[in-house]
Every structure is written in C-alpha cells, then in structure tokens.
Amino acid sequence: MERRDYHYEVCSDGAALVMFGIRSNSGVCVRRVSSDFLEVDRLVRKCNRLQVSPIHLGDVVEDYCRG
C-alpha cells in the first residue's frame, strides 16, 4: 500500500466572529470547528502527527468536539 503524506492547516471563515477550521493538502476542509485558534491548532498538529486520512477528517473533528 502506498503511503501518502497528509498535511493539515488551520483555516478561517473571515466572518465577524472568526471561526477556525481545518484544511488538508488534498482539498478536504472542515469549517467552523471552533473560535479558539489554539484549540484548532492543537488538533491540526495531532492530525499531522498521526497522518489522519482526509476521508476520516470529519469524523475526527466530530469526535474531538464531543470529547
């Protein structure tokens, strides 16, 4: 199986109340995760470290927000 290098970064929506999301280098984006940049940045760093597949990003964010 070919190993891919996934990379994620924090993105923002630019609204009056800025909400941050996560965007992958493959184009997958989960918007409006949190208004706390540091919280989203921690999740991004964890996704990068664990090489989360973009097809699972939505589930990861959902579980993180519940937890």
Side-chain angles (χ1 to χ4, degrees):
M1 181 188 315
E2 179 183 330
R3 178 171 165 84
R4 297 198 54 182
D5 287 323
Y6 300 112
H7 178 77
Y8 298 92
E9 61 185 20
V10 176
C11 59
S12 65
D13 64 7
L17 171 63
V18 176
M19 294 290 290
F20 298 99
I22 301 174
R23 179 176 34 240
S24 77
N25 61 341
S26 68
V28 174
C29 185
V30 177
R31 290 177 167 73
R32 304 186 64 80
V33 175
S34 174
S35 61
D36 184 340
F37 174 84
L38 293 177
E39 179 181 345
V40 177
D41 187 56
R42 279 191 295 271
L43 182 56
V44 163
R45 285 187 274 127
K46 186 176 283 191
C47 287
N48 285 326
R49 186 176 70 250
L50 297 175
Q51 286 295 286
V52 171
S53 171
I55 64 171
H56 298 295
L57 182 60
D59 294 328
V60 168
V61 169
E62 184 177 330
D63 290 347
Y64 183 81
C65 290
R66 283 187 198 166

